[in-house]
Amino acid sequence: MGGDDIQSGSKVHEHPVSPDKQHIEVGRENLRHAVRPHADYEGGHRFDAYVSWDPEEERRVVRKTDYMLLSWLCVMFFGLQLDRGNLSNALADSFLDDLNITSDDYNNGTTIQLMCFLAAEFPVQFLTKRYGFKYVLPTMMVMWGTVSWAQAFITGRATFYVTRAFIGMCEGGFIPGTILMATYFYTSKELSVRLAAFWSTLNIARVISALLAAGILEMRGIGGRPGWFWLFLLEGLLTVVLGVISFLYLPRSPTSTKSVLCPRPWYTEREEVIMINRILRDDPAKGLTSIKEPATWKDIKAAWSDSSMWGLYFIGLIAYIPATPVSAYLTLTLKRIGFTTFSSNMLTAPAAGVQIITMLALAFSSDYFNERAFHCFFGEFWMIPLFVALLAIPDGGRDWARFSLITLISGYPYFHPLVSSWISENTFDVKKRAITAATYNVIVQIGSLIGSQIYRSWDAPYYKNGNRVCISICALSLVAFVAQRQYLIYLNRKKERVWRTMSEEERLTYQHDQGAREVDGNKRLDFRFRY
């Protein structure tokens, strides 16, 4: 596209609307002439339905966003994983014996953490919409970092339970809140790759946290303290520091990027024009809700009653279950071969590395082909032949063969970023999108809780019945992906049949009825679901 000679900071250009073809095309990317942002939208002063720009200019803006925003969001995700994983690392330092608690107490603590994590999801989304991600996300980091370093001073079962509960409450909602923030800076086509980068950070953080733990736990005895004392204290304080930096660094919106640590804006005025209009052309709904506009119970009802999302909720419940018990089995396999606990933990790194590669490759391919369902289908199907191979290996020996298969299962192409992006691009309402993302994340966590119960002690050491269950769930997930895709196709065709019966004038009038659009959202006849 050729760049227009516009004033970079210009207000909305008022052009007469004519009923030509461009105004009656369907799909949210073709609604920029019909949907104008609200007056309180943070980037409204940069909106221009007719502005154009050179592709290289847009690439330059995206690269700057990756450098300034994506890189720091990944650092924040690192802080999340640091405090999620340090408890399991502490087990290698006689943590249970020092506190005189049992493995059952430990399991109860992790369950308490998960329950509090789930309970916090929706309240955090309400707070994020009310006060903005610039303030809520860093505050959460400081809070869970504070609880994390306070764990260094726990003395028994009661204080262990209390700190687990507070960490769960402080971390719940952070991931969907971060995803919501990313949607204000990236188009739907770009989002899945950026979300894959977030989850790649979690995998990298698992390896780094294990290495940090290996060194910090050697401090056992310093000051008369156990190694886990220093692990919780130092990693918790590091997260608090990252949270404070985030508070001083994060932008309020694409047109309000100045902060204490960045006294100059990230973008020039011309780049802000490009940034705002590329985002609104991809998803005009973002201009209908200000960043600090609070969500309501009406938005929860809208999110939960939207049948186009039900299949994705079901996918979130079952699709990730098969891989859940495998990581624990991987460690058991390595310990059976004769490796120490530390070495066994270190040998989980190949699975993390494989998943980083497969997940990013799947996300790039999904963005390139602008397709979601079959890419997710491939990610799920990846595990089936590997589980079948586990069942086919004779009992006894062949531990390294099992290690290889389980590493490949653990490293499957993780399609969670794709489903998160899929949800985002099919909800034409930012507040509803926040609730939908939180709902999906809660359901995913429930699925992980179910997955942790598949491998039972009576089925050890090869868990053949558990693997058969995993294969069955994989098959059910494949059916769910196809069914969701076909249901969205059905909804699109149903809309298209009605749309074809309308005259050009009726279509134009319908498309410019912004009041009805804000009520109907993705139910509008000119909105098309992506799959």
Side-chain angles (χ1 to χ4, degrees):
M1 293 180 294
D4 283 353
D5 293 329
I6 64 166
Q7 294 298 319
S8 300
S10 61
K11 301 288 184 181
V12 174
H13 289 186
E14 297 295 341
H15 294 275
V17 176
S18 59
D20 58 27
K21 183 178 178 181
Q22 67 174 332
H23 293 118
I24 53 176
E25 290 179 349
V26 298
R28 72 180 193 184
E29 67 277 8
N30 295 310
L31 299 177
R32 68 178 184 269
H33 302 284
V35 181
R36 313 188 82 78
H38 285 181
D40 59 352
Y41 171 61
E42 291 79 1
H45 60 295
R46 303 297 192 207
F47 173 72
D48 187 332
Y50 295 87
V51 68
S52 60
W53 53 83
D54 186 270
E56 180 54 36
E57 288 185 284
E58 183 171 6
R59 284 192 290 268
R60 194 159 51 243
V61 169
V62 175
R63 284 195 299 267
K64 183 178 289 188
T65 305
D66 287 341
Y67 176 73
M68 300 297 292
L69 180 69
L70 179 65
S71 59
W72 189 254
L73 291 182
C74 287
V75 171
M76 295 170 68
F77 262 58
F78 172 80
L80 176 67
Q81 182 56 37
L82 200 64
D83 290 318
R84 290 170 89 181
N86 58 14
L87 181 61
S88 61
N89 293 328
L91 295 179
D93 190 56
S94 303
F95 176 75
L96 300 182
D97 293 337
D98 290 343
L99 294 180
N100 195 29
I101 60 178
T102 66
S103 58
D104 289 339
D105 296 328
Y106 172 81
N107 292 334
N108 291 337
T110 56
T111 301
I112 289 172
Q113 178 184 354
L114 179 59
M115 292 299 101
C116 292
F117 181 91
L118 297 179
E121 287 280 351
F122 293 109
V124 167
Q125 292 311 296
F126 276 78
L127 290 172
T128 302
K129 281 303 301 163
R130 175 63 182 85
Y131 297 105
F133 35 70
K134 173 179 174 59
Y135 302 107
V136 174
L137 298 181
T139 300
M140 292 175 67
M141 292 190 71
V142 172
M143 290 173 63
W144 86 60
T146 300
V147 178
S148 185
W149 67 253
Q151 288 180 115
F153 300 95
I154 60 179
T155 56
R157 181 172 58 186
T159 49
F160 173 65
Y161 286 168
V162 169
T163 53
R164 286 293 95 194
F166 277 111
I167 281 186
M169 285 190 289
C170 294
E171 291 181 346
F174 181 81
I175 291 178
T178 307
I179 293 173
L180 181 64
M181 181 179 185
T183 63
Y184 282 94
F185 289 81
Y186 292 106
T187 65
S188 57
K189 191 175 186 299
E190 299 159 349
L191 189 59
S192 59
V193 171
R194 274 70 191 180
L195 297 184
F198 294 164
W199 271 279
S200 296
T201 302
L202 295 184
N203 279 315
I204 294 171
R206 289 190 184 101
V207 178
I208 295 177
S209 64
L211 292 172
L212 286 174
I216 295 174
L217 292 177
E218 292 298 319
M219 297 174 66
R220 186 177 184 88
I222 296 179
R225 299 287 190 175
W228 56 262
F229 171 90
W230 297 109
L231 180 68
F232 289 142
L233 183 65
L234 296 178
E235 291 191 349
L237 289 175
L238 175 59
T239 301
V240 170
V241 171
L242 293 179
V244 171
I245 295 174
S246 299
F247 186 83
L248 300 175
Y249 176 76
L250 287 180
R252 291 182 177 85
S253 71
T255 57
S256 180
T257 53
K258 290 195 296 185
S259 63
V260 174
L261 297 181
C262 265
R264 298 180 61 184
W266 293 1
Y267 309 108
T268 65
E269 290 186 352
R270 168 68 176 175
E271 288 173 336
E272 286 186 0
V273 171
I274 296 172
M275 190 72 179
I276 291 300
N277 287 281
R278 64 187 291 273
I279 293 296
L280 294 186
R281 289 181 189 183
D282 172 72
D283 185 4
K286 292 173 184 175
L288 305 181
T289 306
S290 66
I291 290 177
K292 292 187 178 182
E293 184 173 336
T296 64
W297 290 107
K298 181 180 178 181
D299 299 310
I300 292 182
K301 181 181 178 181
W304 290 356
S305 62
D306 186 351
S307 63
S308 68
M309 296 291 114
W310 292 350
L312 297 176
Y313 294 155
F314 183 65
I315 286 168
L317 178 66
I318 65 172
Y320 310 106
I321 288 177
T324 299
V326 172
S327 58
Y329 184 53
L330 173 58
T331 304
L332 290 173
T333 300
L334 291 167
K335 293 185 72 174
R336 191 164 59 242
I337 294 173
F339 286 99
T340 64
T341 300
F342 172 75
S343 298
S344 298
N345 286 328
M346 286 296 96
L347 282 172
T348 62
V354 170
Q355 186 163 87
I356 290 172
I357 295 172
T358 57
M359 178 170 55
L360 287 173
L362 192 72
F364 275 110
S365 177
S366 177
D367 276 2
Y368 181 80
F369 291 103
N370 197 25
E371 198 281 333
R372 302 287 178 258
F374 287 132
H375 281 79
C376 295
F377 185 99
F378 173 79
E380 188 76 18
F381 182 79
W382 172 287
M383 293 182 281
I384 292 182
L386 299 172
F387 275 116
V388 171
L390 279 179
L391 291 175
I393 294 179
D395 295 349
R398 298 179 174 84
D399 288 324
W400 282 110
R402 288 189 176 84
F403 165 73
S404 300
L405 290 171
I406 295 170
T407 295
L408 290 174
I409 293 173
S410 300
Y412 79 107
Y414 190 48
F415 46 83
H416 186 45
L418 271 64
V419 180
S420 297
S421 179
W422 198 356
I423 288 173
S424 177
E425 60 193 353
N426 280 344
T427 48
F428 194 85
D429 185 312
V430 175
K431 292 184 292 182
K432 175 182 173 183
R433 181 176 302 158
I435 302 301
T436 302
T439 302
Y440 169 73
N441 200 49
V442 167
I443 292 174
V444 169
Q445 297 302 321
I446 294 173
S448 68
L449 191 61
I450 297 172
S452 66
Q453 302 298 317
I454 291 179
Y455 282 2
R456 313 298 296 177
S457 58
W458 56 265
D459 198 24
Y462 301 115
Y463 305 102
K464 290 184 178 293
N465 285 295
N467 288 333
R468 292 189 184 98
V469 170
C470 289
I471 292 174
S472 299
I473 295 175
C474 282
L476 178 60
S477 299
L478 297 181
V479 173
F481 281 120
V482 174
Q484 174 67 6
R485 183 180 187 274
Q486 293 305 119
Y487 182 61
L488 295 181
I489 290 175
Y490 162 76
L491 292 178
N492 284 346
R493 288 176 176 172
K494 187 177 178 180
K495 291 180 179 183
E496 183 63 25
R497 283 195 297 269
V498 180
W499 184 255
R500 288 178 180 176
T501 65
M502 300 169 65
S503 67
E504 298 292 297
E505 292 75 16
E506 289 173 330
R507 292 178 183 178
L508 187 63
T509 301
Y510 179 91
Q511 196 165 74
H512 284 79
D513 188 349
Q514 185 157 322
R517 183 177 304 282
E518 293 183 35
V519 173
D520 297 338
N522 61 4
K523 294 183 176 64
R524 297 293 286 176
L525 295 177
D526 54 354
F527 181 92
R528 293 294 183 268
F529 294 104
R530 294 182 178 178
Y531 47 82

